[in-house]
Amino acid sequence: MQPESTIPAMTYTISVNVMPLKDLLDPQGKAVLNGLGNLGLKGVSDVRIGKRITLQIDAESEEAARALAEEAAKKLLANPVMEYFEIG
Amino acid sequence: MQPESTIPAMTYTISVNVMPLKDLLDPQGKAVLNGLGNLGLKGVSDVRIGKRITLQIDAESEEAARALAEEAAKKLLANPVMEYFEIG
């Protein structure tokens, strides 16, 4: 048998935050802002609501896992017309 | 006039991550997992999708702002039957 030449993959947990673009209205956030006021929670001046996507990625390094997460965000997770994303 | 005795409030940005409980199925995450496979992105073994809520909070300290965010999460943002939350 040939010796195993590949580095064994580890599983990394990488999170992608997908948020509405800052220039766009966020009606869901506005509704939550009103709800907080109705509950008597004072001091909140703005609320923005986006998605948090946690990926379990098998990769040879954390850099490779983060690169895959970024590719996933660009290709599927975020809609650049309305959203931006951050890794981590 | 009386001198101003309160500490001037600053605005803090506090994020709350609300995720589906680990024991629950996440059909939206499963759909994204299948979508990533269809796009040819290999190596992702699990996807969980939750919410990320960013609050702008006027408070006298970051600790006070985080406490208010936690209260908001408990009272409104997270449904403990199906979700857990983390500040930050």
Side-chain angles (χ1 to χ4, degrees):
Chain A
M1 272 180 68
Q2 297 279 326
E4 190 67 56
S5 65
T6 56
I7 302 163
M10 277 185 56
T11 301
Y12 297 90
T13 301
I14 309 284
S15 292
V16 180
N17 299 323
V18 179
M19 300 300 293
L21 289 173
K22 302 205 188 288
D23 292 338
L24 294 187
L25 292 175
D26 176 8
Q28 196 184 2
K30 200 62 69 183
V32 165
L33 181 61
N34 291 339
L36 291 173
N38 292 341
L39 285 172
L41 290 173
K42 307 295 180 197
V44 182
S45 58
D46 193 37
V47 179
R48 306 285 287 176
I49 300 185
K51 284 174 289 185
R52 182 173 173 88
I53 300 136
T54 302
L55 306 165
Q56 300 294 330
I57 300 180
D58 301 320
E60 289 179 7
S61 67
E62 186 172 347
E63 290 69 38
R66 291 176 73 88
L68 185 62
E70 185 162 342
E71 193 179 353
K74 284 184 183 162
K75 287 190 176 170
L76 185 67
L77 305 177
N79 171 3
V81 175
M82 303 176 63
E83 298 165 329
Y84 70 97
F85 71 89
E86 296 163 338
I87 308 291
Chain B
M1 271 180 68
Q2 296 281 325
E4 190 68 55
S5 65
T6 57
I7 302 163
M10 277 185 56
T11 301
Y12 296 90
T13 302
I14 309 285
S15 292
V16 180
N17 299 322
V18 179
M19 300 300 293
L21 289 173
K22 302 206 188 289
D23 292 339
L24 294 187
L25 292 174
D26 177 8
Q28 195 184 2
K30 201 62 69 182
V32 166
L33 182 62
N34 291 339
L36 292 172
N38 293 341
L39 285 172
L41 290 174
K42 306 297 180 197
V44 182
S45 57
D46 193 36
V47 179
R48 306 284 287 177
I49 300 185
K51 284 174 290 185
R52 181 173 174 87
I53 300 137
T54 301
L55 305 165
Q56 301 292 330
I57 300 180
D58 302 320
E60 289 179 8
S61 67
E62 186 171 346
E63 291 68 40
R66 292 176 72 88
L68 186 62
E70 186 162 342
E71 192 179 352
K74 284 183 183 163
K75 287 190 177 170
L76 185 67
L77 305 177
N79 171 2
V81 175
M82 303 176 64
E83 297 166 330
Y84 68 98
F85 71 88
E86 297 163 338
I87 309 291

